[in-house]
Amino acid sequence: MPATQKPMRYGHTEGHTEVCFDDSGSYIVTCGSDGDVRMWEDLDDDDPKSVNVGEKAFSCALKNGKLVTAVSNNTVQVYTFPEGVPDGILTRFTTNANHVVFNGDGTKIAAGSSDFLVKVVDVVDNSQQQTFRGHDAPVLSLSFDPKDIFLASASCDGTVRVWNISDQTCAVSWPVLQKSNDVVNAKSICRLAWQPTTGKLLAVPVEKSVKLYRRETWSNPFDLSDSSISQTLNIVTWSPCGQYLAAGAINGLIVVWNVETKDCMERVKHEKGYAICGLAWHPTCSRLCYTDMEGNLGVLENVCDLSGKVSSNKVSSRVEKEDYDDLFDGDNTSSTGDFLNDNAVEIPSFSKGIINEDDDNDDLMLAADHDLGDDENSVDVTMLKNDLHKEEGDDDQASSIHNLPLIKHQRPFYDGPMPTPRQKPFQSSSTPLHLSHRFMVWNSVGIIRCYNDDQDSAIDVEFHDTSIHHATHLSNAFNYTMGTLSHEAILLACESADELPSKLHCLHFSSWDSSKEWMVDMPQNEDIEAICLGLGWAAAATSALLLRLFTIGGVQKEIFCLPGPVVSMAGHGEQLCVVYHRGTGFDGEQCLGVQLLELGRKKKQVLHGDPLPLTRKSYLTWLGFSAEGTPCYVDSEGCVRMLNRGFGNTWTPICNIREHCKGKSDHYWVVGIHENPQQLRCIPCKGSRFPPTLPRPAVAILSFKLPYCQTSTEKGQMEEQFWHSVLFHNYLDYLAKNGYDYEESIKNQAVKEQQELLMKMLALSCKLEREFRCVELADLMTQNAVHLAIKYASRSRKLILAQKLSELAAEKAAELAETQPEEEKEEDFREKLNAGYSRTTTEWSQPRVRSQVEEDAVSEHLQDREDTVSEEKPEPHNHGQNLFQSANSSDTPALKSGAVFSSSQGRVNPFKVIVNSKEPAVSVNSTRSANILDNMNKSSRKSTSFNRVENNEKSPVIKPLIPKPRSKQASAASYFQKRTSQADKTEEVKENPKSSSSETPAECLQNSENQRPKTGFQMWLEENRSHILSDNPDMSDEADIIKEGMIRFRVLSAEERKAWTNKAKGETASDGAEAKKRKRVASEICETEDQEETVKENLDLSKKQKALNLSTNQKLSAFAFKQE
């Protein structure tokens, strides 16, 4: 007979209300938003006992004389029953607890809270607590496995999880629910439940059906649904016998199924249509109590008539006997088809109460028998086993259930990786569709809000910069669900509805004509799923796996196919980035691919469907470009990644948003990324993943940090800072390559910063005796920085390191020389010579010919190194101090105004610096205090030749370099060729700095240079050459003689080497007066060509006199650069 519905009565004030029975079924216990717990003896009880437990009561549970409540002060409290005496607080949360349940024996309770946590607490000893973490949103409901092995939970993050209670791990997770940011906004409270006694099935209300999941295998054998269900189901509960399942919907409908037959047994409608939020089955009788969202209490009597359990057993036995007979009849084809449609997995539950609890093992035996046998007799053994336990029944009752024959094609349960549901398409920086007030987009241009309620449906557009366009209010008659915004247009799109097609609507507010809107209808059965805007174009991805391109004025352009369903799109300038599903992911992983296209005049594809890296078990939450045009994206675990164009278009993690969140329930909602300044712009969301529209949320700025190892150490910090700088300035190369304008000073500053960091790391490694690491660091440096490293190594008496660095400098120069043809090279240098070209730090790293430059550096270094060994002991160093000393002192290299002069042999010293005539002279003994890399500035390459000539006096010039590189032996041999003395070169620079930049006759240069002084090693070699040749008669190569001589010279004692060095110095000093006379003669010859310039030079000459007896320390600092 049908259930009897009694009139409902008032129970609590309006709001969420719950109901349960005590163990004996004597009391109906309810709790509500008025904070009271009421104990009803019957529905007609006009004076129920009431206990106030707090301001609001969200949930209650009753077992073994203990009443547990979740109240609004964030606590879970326990009371005695039925007295209602407080018995303490079991646990606390940081926010409200939404649901509490007892386990089977009443020794533990589980509570789920809005702070994303689930706790299991021992009722007797509340210090015994277990915390389950993993949900990303408030917890909706919980259910204990009757065997106390598993705990099921549902959450606003859209997932249902099953936890192993013993080790607190998640056994399985199903993303089957609709997401929301809080319990009050959830479409369903999703009260799930385990099947009593055996716990074989877990029932989960999902949309308009109930999904049942099988224990251990976690498969979904079948769903329960009914045509009468038109709204989302809110709650499910099992009958005590486990045979029937009741569900309540948000429109007040209560449905009861027989789980074995999947037949709908009862359909009862709430008298006023209020949402059902509480359901409880009487422990012994066929009575069902329910509550609604208005605080009312109701009762259904005679539900499925549970008084006779034997009858249900008889039904089960009759079903199985009929199945056995049908195997031989073979004429019930329709039943076979129905059985397959139900996935053929519910057979074991029908023998409940008849066969023992080893049903699962029987299932596996059935599956194995069916899989191995090809004939019908393969099932007989199992059927006969079941037949021993059957009871005879009426054939007419058995025939009423027609979908349960055993078939030989039944397959065993799949126990491998489970496929992950595909992520749905979304617009970046938009909030979920189910919200009545939502953001359609929030980007660097502006904000689009959508209001969709009963009174109004409208769209508001707000621009951050009102000079682009004023704020706009639009009607939303077509129910637009997607929107995006650029400096040129507003683009909206809607899905198809009824007979209306999907539409693309563009408001081109930057158009110069009067028609500023256009609209395009999609073909039938094709819905727009993602849209984006770029510079002069719009794009729409559709459900037909097509991507349609349009001009900003509405002209249809190219159409191409996507390899899979689109997930999201983003546009910037001429770039279009598309993320789509490459395939099906497993075990919670999404399988996404990315395409990056350039839609300019030269259309090309940069990324060809490469896999998109995601954090494990995460999904894509934001896709876009930085303000400078670099693709970026964010996943649900908070990892921000950026395309590294300088490293083969790979993706590099640049930030982890979760590290900035204060609580586990907090998130950041990304709205934009900037590389200059380096900012991650996002909105903090307390307790949710997205912000509300009102009040207007504030934007926070997060910093970037690359996940390098050991960033707490000085080495790790500098490594992170260096690659951080490299990565975030790759966009400059992209802009230059594609013809965009950018500030040259930004690149100069970046290079300067990177070289400083490399030099500091090299100094640290040198101090730690990591010389091999020093060479690795030097390989990353520009050429000028390499020579600074050589200088530092020499001062630190790391002679082997200095030699390795010198070889590296020569190799770098040789490599650069091979990258440019000789004709282009010579012409290029000649043009720079005439235009007053300024060589700076940045430009040393460009592919120019510098082999001769590097060889001179090596030669001078070898010479000065010998002086260092023989003359003095190294000064004590601080690795972070000596690197960047005064660029203005005469013995320290200065990069800002360096010029290179050709020697009489045609060899070039790129580190010889000429000081501008307008700069004051600095004393040789001036203190080194400034940072030498402060002067690493680069003149703009975009300046015209006219400007270069105009600034000739301020910018030094460079002489053409010798094009052909030489071997290391030739470089070493050139050391012993006669060169102009150091003092004479100094005088030449003082008296005629500009003559080298103009086309001065060769005689002027030849007359103005003198041969450089000999070193102590040279003098020793000249006297001992005969001894070396006599000891080694086979030695003919000059380089081999020099090498053998250096070995013998090093064997000498320090006093002997110093004596040879002093001897060489004595000869140098005696040549000083004659050198000065030769300089004056050269100066007079050059004076006839430019008399006015010579006067200026002579005026400054008196200020720039330099002592000839330079100290060894000064020579060391001048081996790479000379500044007078």
Side-chain angles (χ1 to χ4, degrees):
M1 60 181 295
T4 303
Q5 184 178 14
K6 288 190 174 184
M8 300 191 71
R9 66 167 298 159
Y10 171 83
H12 297 271
T13 58
E14 177 183 348
H16 179 79
T17 311
E18 286 207 1
V19 62
C20 63
F21 282 97
D22 70 336
D23 296 334
S24 63
S26 304
Y27 288 94
I28 302 171
V29 180
T30 61
C31 69
S33 57
D34 52 9
D36 290 339
V37 173
R38 294 193 170 95
M39 307 167 195
W40 314 74
E41 292 183 0
D42 196 0
L43 188 65
D44 300 329
D45 186 359
D46 292 330
D47 188 22
K49 183 175 182 179
S50 180
V51 177
N52 185 267
V53 295
E55 185 178 345
K56 285 185 178 182
F58 297 104
S59 180
C60 66
L62 181 58
K63 198 87 170 180
N64 298 343
K66 297 287 186 181
L67 175 66
V68 176
T69 60
V71 293
S72 54
N73 62 354
N74 306 342
T75 62
V76 176
Q77 303 174 0
V78 61
Y79 295 82
T80 61
F81 182 85
E83 296 82 7
V85 178
D87 198 17
I89 295 175
L90 288 181
T91 187
R92 296 177 185 272
F93 293 93
T94 57
T95 56
N96 298 329
N98 301 318
H99 196 207
V100 291
V101 290
F102 270 103
N103 66 345
D105 57 8
T107 58
K108 296 179 181 179
I109 65 105
S113 169
S114 291
D115 61 4
F116 307 3
L117 299 181
V118 175
K119 292 184 179 180
V120 174
V121 187
D122 192 286
V123 176
V124 178
D125 181 9
N126 63 357
S127 64
Q128 302 294 321
Q129 294 192 14
Q130 294 175 289
T131 302
F132 299 80
R133 306 174 189 272
H135 281 299
D136 296 325
V139 179
L140 291 170
S141 67
L142 301 166
S143 180
F144 263 111
D145 166 29
K147 297 182 179 180
D148 274 358
I149 298 175
F150 300 109
L151 175 69
S153 63
S155 170
C156 291
D157 62 10
T159 64
V160 173
R161 293 173 181 255
V162 178
W163 309 84
N164 283 305
I165 298 177
S166 58
D167 56 6
Q168 299 167 243
T169 59
C170 180
V172 67
S173 175
W174 301 292
V176 293
L177 306 179
Q178 195 170 41
K179 296 181 181 181
S180 60
N181 62 346
D182 202 358
V183 177
V184 295
N185 296 325
K187 200 170 183 179
S188 165
I189 59 174
C190 191
R191 291 287 197 261
L192 39 75
W194 287 92
Q195 188 177 22
T197 309
T198 61
K200 286 183 180 179
L201 296 173
L202 172 64
V204 182
V206 178
E207 298 293 338
K208 300 176 185 178
S209 65
V210 179
K211 290 186 176 293
L212 287 104
Y213 295 94
R214 187 172 295 279
R215 181 192 186 90
E216 302 289 352
T217 63
W218 309 123
S219 60
N220 176 212
F222 60 93
D223 295 347
L224 296 176
S225 60
D226 189 71
S227 58
S228 62
I229 303 174
S230 59
Q231 296 291 327
T232 302
L233 296 177
N234 218 19
I235 182 172
V236 295
T237 184
W238 290 87
S239 64
C241 65
Q243 183 176 356
Y244 298 99
L245 183 69
I250 61 176
N251 63 347
L253 180 68
I254 298 176
V255 184
V256 181
W257 290 276
N258 184 325
V259 179
E260 296 178 353
T261 65
K262 289 177 284 185
D263 289 337
C264 183
M265 309 298 291
E266 303 285 355
R267 301 181 186 89
V268 179
K269 183 73 175 175
H270 189 287
E271 57 190 38
K272 292 186 178 180
Y274 295 149
I276 304 298
C277 57
L279 269 180
W281 219 303
H282 193 281
T284 58
C285 304
S286 55
R287 176 186 296 179
L288 193 64
C289 282
Y290 60 96
T291 53
D292 60 29
M293 291 296 293
E294 298 296 320
N296 300 313
L297 173 65
V299 174
L300 295 178
E301 300 281 2
N302 301 321
V303 180
C304 301
D305 192 12
L306 299 183
S307 57
K309 293 186 180 179
V310 177
S311 64
S312 65
N313 295 340
K314 288 183 178 180
V315 171
S316 178
S317 63
R318 285 194 293 270
V319 169
E320 293 183 356
K321 183 163 186 1
E322 183 68 22
D323 295 339
Y324 182 76
D325 294 336
D326 287 345
L327 287 173
F328 296 95
D329 293 340
D331 56 353
N332 193 0
T333 56
S334 62
S335 64
T336 303
D338 293 340
F339 181 66
L340 288 174
N341 290 340
D342 291 331
N343 294 330
V345 283
E346 69 277 18
I347 296 167
S349 62
F350 294 120
S351 56
K352 177 180 58 63
I354 306 167
I355 303 176
N356 58 22
E357 293 186 6
D358 294 330
D359 290 347
D360 288 337
N361 295 331
D362 295 340
D363 296 345
L364 296 177
M365 289 177 62
L366 275 171
D369 290 339
H370 293 178
D371 193 57
L372 293 173
D374 292 331
D375 58 339
E376 295 178 352
N377 294 330
S378 62
V379 192
D380 289 351
V381 176
T382 305
M383 296 309 300
L384 290 173
K385 176 185 174 183
N386 292 340
D387 195 50
L388 295 176
H389 303 279
K390 293 180 181 177
E391 297 180 11
E392 294 298 322
D394 297 333
D395 293 340
D396 55 338
Q397 292 178 350
S399 61
S400 64
I401 304 172
H402 57 79
N403 59 341
L404 300 171
L406 290 170
I407 59 173
K408 63 183 180 180
H409 301 295
Q410 184 178 6
R411 292 178 297 177
F413 293 118
Y414 175 68
D415 197 22
M418 299 302 295
T420 305
R422 287 181 172 178
Q423 180 180 356
K424 295 180 179 179
F426 71 95
Q427 289 292 120
S428 292
S429 299
S430 66
T431 50
L433 292 174
H434 66 268
L435 300 177
S436 57
H437 292 187
R438 57 182 289 259
F439 291 108
M440 298 181 79
V441 72
W442 183 323
N443 60 20
S444 59
V445 179
I447 306 169
I448 302 180
R449 295 183 182 88
C450 178
Y451 303 95
N452 190 11
D453 48 33
D454 298 335
Q455 291 78 23
D456 188 19
S457 180
I459 294 173
D460 286 341
V461 183
E462 173 188 338
F463 292 85
H464 300 316
D465 184 359
T466 54
S467 65
I468 298 175
H469 197 268
H470 58 79
T472 304
H473 181 82
L474 307 170
S475 63
N476 193 13
F478 291 104
N479 191 25
Y480 293 118
T481 57
M482 290 165 275
T484 187
L485 189 63
S486 73
H487 290 88
E488 296 179 314
I490 302 167
L491 191 64
L492 304 170
C494 66
E495 298 177 348
S496 59
D498 298 331
E499 296 182 358
L500 295 176
S502 180
K503 297 180 181 293
L504 185 68
H505 185 188
C506 181
L507 286 80
H508 184 201
F509 55 77
S510 65
S511 174
W512 48 265
D513 64 4
S514 58
S515 300
K516 298 184 181 297
E517 291 188 43
W518 55 269
M519 187 180 296
V520 174
D521 291 348
M522 295 295 111
Q524 190 176 4
N525 300 325
E526 185 175 341
D527 284 342
I528 298 174
E529 295 185 331
I531 57 175
C532 68
L533 282 170
L535 184 62
W537 56 268
T542 69
S543 58
L545 301 186
L546 295 178
L547 197 146
R548 299 177 178 272
L549 294 175
F550 303 83
T551 65
I552 201 67
V555 178
Q556 297 189 61
K557 296 182 70 179
E558 292 86 357
I559 300 176
F560 63 91
C561 293
L562 292 173
V566 69
V567 176
S568 189
M569 291 200 309
H572 182 279
E574 297 175 347
Q575 300 179 87
L576 169 63
C577 188
V578 186
V579 173
Y580 58 89
H581 289 285
R582 297 176 60 245
T584 300
F586 288 88
D587 289 341
E589 306 282 351
Q590 294 290 332
C591 183
L592 304 182
V594 58
Q595 288 185 348
L596 180 61
L597 302 97
E598 293 186 359
L599 306 178
R601 294 186 180 276
K602 296 181 179 179
K603 296 178 176 60
K604 65 177 181 178
Q605 191 169 357
V606 180
L607 297 178
H608 302 264
D610 301 344
L612 189 73
L614 291 172
T615 308
R616 284 190 56 80
K617 296 190 177 181
S618 67
Y619 53 89
L620 186 67
T621 58
W622 187 87
L623 175 71
F625 289 84
S626 67
E628 291 74 19
T630 305
C632 307
Y633 67 94
V634 185
D635 63 27
S636 58
E637 292 299 319
C639 183
V640 185
R641 294 176 177 86
M642 176 182 286
L643 187 70
N644 190 346
R645 299 184 192 272
F647 194 62
N649 288 329
T650 52
W651 296 97
T652 300
I654 58 174
C655 180
N656 189 347
I657 298 177
R658 297 298 302 165
E659 293 179 354
H660 298 271
C661 296
K662 295 182 179 178
K664 287 191 173 293
S665 61
D666 300 339
H667 293 85
Y668 281 97
W669 193 64
V670 178
V671 297
I673 293 178
H674 295 257
E675 294 178 81
N676 185 32
Q678 295 172 19
Q679 294 177 352
L680 175 62
R681 303 173 65 84
C682 48
I683 296 171
C685 304
K686 187 73 174 176
S688 67
R689 284 190 173 270
F690 42 83
T693 55
L694 293 174
R696 181 189 175 113
V699 177
I701 295 176
L702 303 182
S703 59
F704 296 111
K705 183 178 180 181
L706 274 62
Y708 276 85
C709 303
Q710 297 180 325
T711 51
S712 59
T713 64
E714 186 178 7
K715 171 180 174 288
Q717 287 177 2
M718 288 190 290
E719 287 170 340
E720 192 276 336
Q721 291 170 9
F722 171 75
W723 291 112
H724 184 112
S725 176
V726 171
L727 177 64
F728 280 90
H729 290 93
N730 282 338
Y731 77 93
L732 294 172
D733 295 331
Y734 174 79
L735 295 178
K737 180 180 177 182
N738 290 272
Y740 294 100
D741 292 333
Y742 65 93
E743 296 183 18
E744 195 78 21
S745 59
I746 298 175
K747 188 169 185 178
N748 296 343
Q749 182 63 30
V751 173
K752 172 186 170 184
E753 175 189 355
Q754 293 162 18
Q755 299 309 307
E756 285 182 352
L757 288 167
L758 287 172
M759 291 298 295
K760 289 178 181 178
M761 285 190 282
L762 183 137
L764 179 62
S765 301
C766 196
K767 183 179 180 182
L768 298 175
E769 303 292 335
R770 297 279 187 177
E771 297 187 13
F772 189 88
R773 185 183 295 170
C774 293
V775 178
E776 293 175 326
L777 290 168
D779 196 35
L780 300 172
M781 296 180 181
T782 59
Q783 287 205 320
N784 274 2
V786 171
H787 291 290
L788 285 176
I790 298 172
K791 165 190 165 186
Y792 182 82
S794 298
R795 285 184 168 181
S796 304
R797 291 190 69 105
K798 307 287 186 183
L799 302 184
I800 298 177
L801 174 60
Q803 183 177 0
K804 294 291 184 182
L805 294 178
S806 300
E807 294 173 359
L808 177 63
E811 290 173 5
K812 279 178 172 284
E815 290 173 2
L816 292 175
E818 295 173 358
T819 60
Q820 192 175 23
E822 292 187 8
E823 295 84 5
E824 294 179 7
K825 171 199 58 184
E826 293 179 356
E827 181 180 354
D828 188 30
F829 277 103
R830 194 174 296 111
E831 290 174 357
K832 293 172 185 175
L833 172 66
N834 295 334
Y837 180 78
S838 173
R839 171 74 74 182
T840 63
T841 304
T842 303
E843 290 160 355
W844 283 117
S845 61
Q846 301 302 319
R848 313 277 187 214
V849 179
R850 298 187 193 87
S851 59
Q852 188 66 41
V853 170
E854 301 299 338
E855 291 163 7
D856 284 348
V858 175
S859 301
E860 291 191 17
H861 167 63
L862 289 174
Q863 177 182 352
D864 292 335
R865 189 180 66 181
E866 296 301 331
D867 295 343
T868 304
V869 173
S870 60
E871 286 195 9
E872 62 179 21
K873 296 181 180 179
E875 300 175 1
H877 287 78
N878 184 333
H879 72 273
Q881 181 178 0
N882 285 341
L883 276 176
F884 312 112
Q885 294 177 345
S886 175
N888 296 325
S889 89
S890 59
D891 62 341
T892 306
L895 305 179
K896 187 172 182 179
S897 57
V900 180
F901 290 86
S902 175
S903 67
S904 58
Q905 290 85 10
R907 296 176 29 197
V908 182
N909 184 352
F911 314 107
K912 183 69 180 291
V913 176
I914 177 170
V915 178
N916 189 283
S917 59
K918 296 181 180 179
E919 296 178 0
V922 182
S923 172
V924 171
N925 298 323
S926 63
T927 306
R928 305 183 183 99
S929 59
N931 188 330
I932 190 165
L933 292 176
D934 290 342
N935 294 324
M936 289 188 177
N937 297 328
K938 177 181 177 183
S939 60
S940 175
R941 293 187 182 178
K942 297 183 180 180
S943 60
T944 62
S945 298
F946 174 76
N947 292 334
R948 292 174 180 168
V949 175
E950 193 177 46
N951 298 328
N952 195 25
E953 292 186 3
K954 297 181 180 180
S955 300
V957 294
I958 185 167
K959 292 285 287 182
L961 300 181
I962 301 301
K964 293 182 180 179
R966 293 185 296 175
S967 64
K968 294 178 184 177
Q969 290 82 359
S971 179
S974 66
Y975 167 176
F976 295 97
Q977 297 177 359
K978 294 183 178 181
R979 299 193 225 178
T980 308
S981 69
Q982 188 64 42
D984 293 346
K985 282 190 177 181
T986 301
E987 294 300 325
E988 177 195 14
V989 172
K990 288 179 183 177
E991 299 203 12
N992 225 344
K994 194 170 181 177
S995 62
S996 62
S997 63
S998 60
E999 296 182 359
T1000 308
E1003 299 87 319
C1004 180
L1005 283 175
Q1006 293 172 358
N1007 293 333
S1008 63
E1009 291 186 2
N1010 194 11
Q1011 295 181 354
R1012 62 182 300 164
K1014 296 180 181 178
T1015 64
F1017 172 66
Q1018 283 180 298
M1019 298 187 67
W1020 179 89
L1021 184 62
E1022 288 178 0
E1023 292 192 11
N1024 293 273
R1025 180 184 295 270
S1026 58
H1027 299 291
I1028 294 174
L1029 292 176
S1030 62
D1031 295 340
N1032 300 277
D1034 299 334
M1035 195 175 292
S1036 59
D1037 191 358
E1038 180 67 20
D1040 294 338
I1041 298 174
I1042 295 169
K1043 187 174 180 181
E1044 178 67 22
M1046 291 178 69
I1047 294 172
R1048 297 191 181 191
F1049 187 76
R1050 288 172 183 167
V1051 177
L1052 299 178
S1053 63
E1055 291 78 8
E1056 290 176 322
R1057 290 198 299 270
K1058 190 170 183 180
W1060 282 104
T1061 303
N1062 292 336
K1063 183 177 180 181
K1065 277 191 172 184
E1067 294 186 2
T1068 302
S1070 63
D1071 295 338
E1074 185 179 353
K1076 288 184 181 180
K1077 293 179 182 179
R1078 283 198 293 269
K1079 292 299 176 183
R1080 291 193 190 97
V1081 173
S1083 176
E1084 290 174 3
I1085 296 174
C1086 297
E1087 214 173 69
T1088 59
E1089 299 179 2
D1090 196 353
Q1091 183 175 2
E1092 187 179 290
E1093 184 64 23
T1094 306
V1095 171
K1096 293 180 182 179
E1097 298 297 333
N1098 289 336
L1099 287 174
D1100 289 339
L1101 182 60
S1102 59
K1103 301 177 183 179
K1104 299 182 180 180
Q1105 295 294 334
K1106 179 181 176 181
L1108 295 179
N1109 52 344
L1110 299 176
S1111 70
T1112 304
N1113 213 24
Q1114 292 159 358
K1115 287 184 178 181
L1116 279 172
S1117 62
F1119 82 93
F1121 300 95
K1122 303 289 185 184
Q1123 177 172 339
E1124 309 298 333

